Amino acid sequence: MMSEKTWTFEAGDRVPEWLMRQTNCVLRFGRDAVVVESNSEFQIYPASAMEDDDTMVLAEIIDQQIDAEVEHTLPIRAHTVPRSMSLN
């Protein structure tokens, strides 16, 4: 079994390029998040319960005249329920 890698991010932190490549935009976490790399995919979990209108990742366009692009470096599965800390 492959080992998992886990990172934690705070709301406002920039989304790293190793998670999503960004062209003409800056991606930031809209809330505290936990990212888990496992089985050649990333899973993103909120650090606490989410409301229906909460956003995990926010995009800020740099130049409105040019298309913005976001490319996942691996498949990403986003979750709306916090990851159980008992999985350690």
Side-chain angles (χ1 to χ4, degrees):
M1 182 175 153
M2 262 180 72
S3 64
E4 292 183 342
K5 295 180 191 170
T6 304
W7 299 266
T8 55
F9 296 94
E10 293 183 9
D13 285 350
R14 189 170 179 165
V15 175
E17 292 278 331
W18 54 258
L19 181 59
M20 294 183 218
R21 284 194 270 285
Q22 305 147 50
T23 304
N24 191 40
C25 65
V26 175
L27 298 178
R28 295 192 185 281
F29 287 97
R31 56 180 299 114
D32 294 353
V34 177
V35 175
V36 178
E37 180 183 356
S38 178
N39 299 323
S40 299
E41 75 172 8
F42 289 116
Q43 297 190 44
I44 302 177
Y45 296 88
S48 59
M50 290 180 71
E51 300 295 323
D52 289 342
D53 58 350
D54 283 348
T55 304
M56 188 70 81
V57 174
L58 305 169
E60 178 185 326
I61 307 300
I62 296 168
D63 182 345
Q64 299 292 338
Q65 309 302 315
I66 308 172
D67 286 343
E69 294 180 23
V70 175
E71 178 185 350
H72 298 174
T73 57
L74 289 175
I76 294 177
R77 193 171 345 158
H79 298 269
T80 56
V81 177
R83 184 169 196 239
S84 170
M85 295 320 245
S86 63
L87 294 176
N88 294 346

